Amino acid sequence: MVARVPGGQSLRMEVEMKASSRKQAGLAITLLGTLAFTTSAGGGESTRYTFRNAPVNSMGVKSMADLRGKPVLIDFWGTR
Amino acid sequence: MPASIKLQQEFGDALQVLFVECQGADLEKSEAFAWRQKWMGTRAIWTDERPLEVAGSGLPKFALLDTEGKLLLEGNPLAMKKQIEEAIAEQVKKATSAPAGTPDKLAKTWARFVKGDIAAALAECEKLGTDASLAEPAKTLRAEMMTRAEGKIARGQWLVTNGYVAEASEHFAGLAKAVKGSHELESKISDELTRLQAPDKTLSAEAEASKALASLQQKMVKDKAFEDANVKALQKLAEKHAGTKAAERAARLAKLASIEFR
């Protein structure tokens, strides 16, 4: 579930719940995404992700490898 | 405005900010949201795909990758503002340094390459490579330079293919100066410039349309992006330049205006 706090930040609380309605099912999917997001990667390996869809404004960037040579700041954000 | 946008403005092309939407909105919704928030207009790029997983839940969250794409820092950007800025500054400095393991005698050659003197750097690399003790590292460095130069050519080709004709012309004109003297690269860029300069109705139409769209997008960045006048101008542009890539982009942008947020 996502809770709003002053300042516009979102707090995501990981809870286990049964998806008994469409709304809850959607929420459960969101939570699964969050759980995947929390698993740690890194490990000193270069990021080798290839985008399924080119990022907006990227002018031809197809993968993270295309961004090599400069630092990349990834800002994880949400529209809610 | 997110601090990342300010960092993108501050560091310009030396940094790449990548926004990753993590709350289930698709790419179109993310883009519409960013336009409405006046976050567009920088070199920052936007996706709804996660290129890597980082520890911990909750937003806001960031990850900083070094110049080789390795994870350098991660966490809550609000708590690590100074660390992030310092690490970026260090990486930007590092980006101009020669790849790890490059002998000092070749480091200056790399600096020349980074400054944009590609042909001279390649020639110098070949010359230094005649010294047996530098042969292998010179070969490695030259290969890296060629990979990056080929990447720049590929980027220009992408711009042409996707209707960014004015940008492509500027890109290749700059590259032509940088590779002057390197026959291998010079001929490739010359071919691209010839193609761009040849009388071609399709390219002319793309050039005109992309110029008109770029101008309108600049207005959208300053104004309320999706105010009626801008949406109508986008629709008009899409009709007037129908068949061009820029018209497709204009029509797509006009559609974003109808996305609603609760």
Side-chain angles (χ1 to χ4, degrees):
Chain A
M1 110 195 303
V2 178
R4 292 278 176 199
V5 296
Q9 294 174 36
S10 297
L11 290 177
R12 189 177 292 277
M13 287 175 271
E14 293 168 27
V15 293
E16 196 174 315
M17 62 168 62
K18 275 191 176 180
S20 58
S21 68
R22 284 187 68 171
K23 191 176 176 184
Q24 282 177 319
L27 187 55
I29 289 165
T30 306
L31 284 167
L32 281 173
T34 306
L35 291 171
F37 170 47
T38 61
T39 56
S40 183
E45 292 294 315
S46 297
T47 308
R48 294 169 184 266
Y49 186 81
T50 299
F51 293 100
R52 290 188 300 277
N53 296 303
V56 169
N57 205 30
S58 66
M59 298 275 189
V61 170
K62 290 172 191 155
S63 76
M64 292 301 286
D66 294 338
L67 301 174
R68 298 266 171 84
K70 62 174 88 174
V72 178
L73 178 63
I74 304 176
D75 186 330
F76 298 94
W77 71 295
T79 48
R80 292 183 213 164
Chain B
M1 179 187 282
S4 306
I5 302 248
K6 289 182 184 165
L7 288 169
Q8 183 70 83
Q9 287 169 333
E10 185 186 336
F11 287 97
D13 195 33
L15 169 71
Q16 183 60 65
V17 172
L18 169 63
F19 284 93
V20 177
E21 211 286 343
C22 298
Q23 291 183 326
D26 61 19
L27 202 51
E28 291 192 339
K29 194 168 182 180
S30 303
E31 184 180 357
F33 188 88
W35 275 107
R36 286 180 192 277
Q37 297 293 321
K38 288 184 169 285
W39 294 349
M40 300 303 274
T42 72
R43 307 182 77 96
I45 63 178
W46 309 76
T47 182
D48 56 352
E49 300 171 39
R50 293 172 194 171
L52 83 165
E53 306 297 341
V54 292
S57 59
L59 298 177
K61 181 172 294 299
F62 83 97
L64 179 64
L65 307 185
D66 69 9
T67 55
E68 292 172 13
K70 291 176 184 169
L71 184 62
L72 193 68
L73 271 181
E74 62 176 290
N76 183 333
L78 302 177
M80 298 171 73
K81 191 171 177 285
K82 196 160 183 248
Q83 260 178 285
I84 295 170
E85 287 176 9
E86 285 173 357
I88 291 172
E90 193 182 318
Q91 287 299 309
V92 167
K93 197 175 169 189
K94 191 184 158 195
T96 58
S97 308
T102 304
D104 288 348
K105 283 184 181 174
L106 282 164
K108 279 186 186 171
T109 308
W110 180 259
R112 184 167 255 186
F113 176 82
V114 170
K115 278 184 185 167
D117 201 349
I118 297 174
L122 287 168
E124 208 169 278
C125 222
E126 283 160 20
K127 194 179 169 187
L128 287 167
T130 57
D131 177 341
S133 66
L134 292 174
E136 201 51 40
K139 190 181 166 189
T140 306
L141 199 64
R142 189 184 188 282
E144 179 64 26
M145 287 177 187
M146 285 302 289
T147 302
R148 293 200 186 192
E150 298 279 2
K152 286 175 194 281
I153 294 171
R155 177 174 163 76
Q157 289 167 333
W158 185 93
L159 290 171
V160 177
T161 307
N162 288 276
Y164 295 93
V165 182
E167 291 87 345
S169 298
E170 195 180 327
H171 180 78
F172 281 124
L175 266 184
K177 285 182 191 168
V179 303
K180 198 173 180 185
S182 163
H183 296 302
E184 196 176 353
L185 294 171
E186 213 174 351
S187 62
K188 285 184 184 178
I189 290 161
S190 173
D191 288 349
E192 295 297 336
L193 280 170
T194 305
R195 187 158 69 102
L196 281 166
Q197 285 156 3
D200 181 314
K201 278 186 182 175
T202 309
L203 280 179
S204 300
E206 286 288 3
E208 192 186 340
S210 67
K211 197 175 166 188
L213 181 57
S215 169
L216 181 51
Q217 281 184 297
Q218 277 178 9
K219 190 171 177 293
M220 288 171 67
V221 167
K222 289 176 190 164
D223 302 341
K224 278 186 180 174
F226 297 131
E227 65 183 16
D228 283 350
N230 287 341
V231 176
K232 280 179 188 163
L234 284 167
Q235 289 165 339
K236 199 174 165 187
L237 194 156
E239 281 173 26
K240 185 181 174 185
H241 299 281
T244 64
K245 299 279 183 185
E248 285 174 23
R249 291 199 294 275
R252 181 180 178 276
L253 276 174
K255 270 189 181 177
L256 296 184
S258 62
I259 295 176
E260 290 184 1
F261 293 88
R262 278 178 289 166

